[in-house]
Amino acid sequence: MKKNYRIAVLPGDGIGPEIMQEAVKVLQLVGEREGVTFTCEEGRIGGIAIDTDGTPLPEATVKLAKQADAVLLGAVGGPKWDQNPGHLRPETGLLGIRKELGLFANIRPATMHSSLVEASTLKPEVVSGVDLIVVRELTGGIYFGEKKRYDGPNGEVAEDLCIYNEAEIERIIRVGFEIARKRKKRLVSVDKANVLESSRLWRKVAERVATDYPDVELSHQLVDSCAMQLVRAPKQFDVIVTENMFGDILSDQAAMLTGSIGMLASASLAAGSFGLYEPVHGSAPDIAGKGIANPLATILSVAMMLRLSLDMDEAAAAVENAVWSVLEAGHRTGDIARDPSKAIGTVEMGQLVRDELSKQWQPK
Ligand code: IPM
Ligand code: MG
C-alpha cells in the first residue's frame, strides 16, 4: 500500500463545499489512523468555475485530477447558471470531466439501511432489504453523440445521436459481470432492444460477454419494464447494467426506493483503479449555506474511494460502520429526520461520524 496519496477535491456549488469539508475531515482522520498521508488539493468545477475562470471545467482542474490518485466531487449547478448556453452550464463541467478522465463506469449502489425504512415513500415490506447496484455506462450514448440544431421547413430541428460501438459496450458489460460475480451472481442488462438499434447491439454484446461468465446468470429487461419492476418488486434486483441515459433515469429511481438520496454515494471509474467519487444528490441550492445539508453521502463516497481506488478495504468498512452506528443511535439531518425539530446540522453530523470512527479504533 502506498503511504502518500494525492486526492483532487472539487467541492463545486451549492451545498458542495459544506459537505466536502466534513468528508475531507473524515479522510484525514483515516489517514492519521492508517499512517497514510492524503494530500488534498482543491480545484474548481461547475458554476464557481464559470464565475471565476469563465468555463465550467478549467484546464487546471483537469490537470489536477489527472495527477491525482482519485477525485472527490461535491455537486455542481444552481439557478444562477440555469439560463446559460450549453457550454457555460455547470453540468457541462461534469460531463467534460467524465470524458477527459475516461470515467466510463458509473457505480450507483442503492442500499436500504434498516434504520431508514420509514424514509421511503414505498411500503416497508417492498423496500426493506433492498440492496442493488446500477452500473451505468457514462461516457457514450446519447449524452456524447453528435448534437445538431438547424432550421427546417417545419421550424427548428434538434438532433441528439445515440451511438455506441462494441468496445464501449463490452467494457461496461464486463464491469457489470465482475461486480455481479462478487455478489449474488445475477446480472440484469437493461435496454430497449424492441425499438433501438444501439440496444440490439448492446444485447448481442452482452450475450457474447456472458460466455466468459458462466457462473453469473444474465437476463435482459426492457427499460420501461425495468422501471416498473423497480417500484413493484425492487428486491428481485442485484446488479443492473445499462447505457448512459437509461442509467441516469433508473439510478434516480433506484435511489428514491431508499427515500434518502442524501445517503447515497457513487463511483465513476476509469480503466484501472482511478476513479471519481461523488454523492448521488445534487447541489441543493435551496439549503446551501445553512449548515443543514446531509454530509453522509459524501462521507460514504470517501469510503467507496478507499475501497475501489486506494485498496483500503478495512478503512472503508470502518467509515461505513461509523455512519451506520450514528444512524442507529438516532441522529438525523433534516432530510431523513422523522421529527424535523430534532434534526442536527452538517458539521455536527460529520463530528459524530468522526467520534464514532475514533471509538471503533480504540483498543478494546
Ligand atoms: C447525474 C446527473 C448528470 C447526468 C447531470 C447533472 C448532467 O443527472 O450524474 O446523474 O445526467 O449524468
Ligand atoms: Mg442523473
Side-chain angles (χ1 to χ4, degrees):
M1 202 169 75
K2 283 209 315 191
K3 285 287 163 209
N4 188 4
Y5 289 106
R6 294 178 73 170
I7 310 297
V9 173
L10 315 179
D13 308 316
I15 59 171
E18 300 161 55
I19 51 177
M20 188 56 82
Q21 214 169 25
E22 297 313 306
V24 168
K25 282 191 251 173
V26 168
L27 181 65
Q28 297 301 7
L29 184 63
V30 169
E32 281 166 36
R33 156 76 196 193
E34 301 281 326
V36 172
T37 316
F38 296 109
T39 308
C40 294
E41 296 162 287
E42 267 199 32
R44 285 188 290 269
I45 191 168
I48 170 117
I50 296 172
D51 290 351
T52 316
D53 311 84
T55 162
L57 184 61
E59 271 301 310
T61 300
V62 175
K63 197 169 155 211
L64 182 77
K66 282 187 174 163
Q67 286 168 348
D69 294 291
V71 183
L72 268 179
L73 190 138
V76 299
K80 182 173 177 195
W81 307 282
D82 271 352
Q83 304 308 321
N84 284 10
H87 70 288
L88 286 180
R89 291 184 64 99
E91 295 82 0
T92 305
L94 193 56
L95 298 177
I97 201 163
R98 288 173 181 168
K99 198 72 175 175
E100 286 277 350
L101 303 178
L103 306 172
F104 70 93
N106 185 214
I107 318 291
R108 296 186 169 183
T111 308
M112 185 88 217
H113 192 260
S114 53
S115 57
L116 291 176
V117 169
E118 79 277 5
S120 178
T121 50
L122 299 183
K123 290 186 190 141
E125 63 267 30
V126 175
V127 291
S128 78
V130 161
D131 176 17
L132 62 88
I133 295 183
V134 178
V135 178
R136 167 188 176 192
E137 199 291 325
L138 202 59
T139 52
I142 198 167
Y143 271 63
F144 291 94
E146 197 184 349
K147 298 177 190 309
K148 284 189 199 158
R149 202 59 182 265
Y150 50 90
D151 288 318
N154 298 312
E156 246 192 308
V157 183
E159 294 181 17
D160 295 279
L161 178 67
C162 181
I163 178 166
Y164 272 110
N165 61 48
E166 282 192 75
E168 285 171 324
I169 299 172
E170 176 166 343
R171 64 182 180 176
I172 190 71
I173 295 280
R174 283 195 186 278
V175 172
F177 272 110
E178 290 294 332
I179 293 176
R181 176 170 265 178
K182 294 197 197 100
R183 291 174 52 103
K184 294 189 184 146
K185 303 185 190 302
R186 286 199 327 257
L187 179 65
V188 177
S189 170
V190 173
D191 60 40
K192 187 74 185 171
N194 53 347
V195 178
L196 301 178
E197 205 51 46
S198 53
S199 281
R200 288 192 267 270
L201 180 61
W202 182 276
R203 204 174 267 218
K204 180 181 132 186
V205 174
E207 285 292 333
R208 171 161 54 74
V209 174
T211 59
D212 290 343
Y213 297 86
D215 52 322
V216 178
E217 181 202 323
L218 170 71
S219 59
H220 304 279
Q221 274 187 21
L222 297 172
V223 63
D224 48 347
S225 167
C226 178
M228 177 184 74
Q229 293 296 338
L230 261 178
V231 284
R232 193 188 72 85
K235 277 180 264 189
Q236 71 185 278
F237 294 102
D238 188 51
V239 183
I240 293 173
V241 64
T242 191
E243 64 93 56
N244 204 344
M245 172 89 128
F246 298 159
D248 178 45
I249 299 165
L250 293 179
S251 65
D252 265 26
Q253 197 186 343
M256 272 331 277
L257 296 174
T258 71
S260 36
I261 200 161
M263 293 292 307
L264 299 177
S266 76
S268 303
L269 307 174
S273 64
F274 184 82
L276 176 148
Y277 299 83
E278 61 177 318
V280 167
H281 63 70
S283 61
D286 51 322
I287 59 162
K290 293 190 181 157
I292 59 171
N294 185 350
L296 294 179
T298 316
I299 291 172
L300 290 169
S301 300
V302 166
M304 276 188 105
M305 176 179 85
L306 292 168
R307 181 175 291 120
L308 298 178
S309 281
L310 310 183
D311 203 15
M312 296 174 72
D313 285 21
E314 270 176 40
V319 171
E320 286 163 355
N321 288 337
V323 168
W324 306 141
S325 299
V326 168
L327 289 174
E328 263 147 38
H331 305 291
R332 302 279 189 276
T333 42
D335 58 318
I336 49 174
R338 221 193 288 187
D339 178 357
S341 71
K342 295 207 184 98
I344 60 170
T346 312
V347 173
E348 233 177 321
M349 184 55 105
Q351 184 63 51
L352 282 167
V353 173
R354 295 199 302 285
D355 291 348
E356 190 56 44
L357 253 182
S358 305
K359 230 192 276 172
Q360 277 187 42
W361 282 328
Q362 260 161 28
K364 298 245 159 57

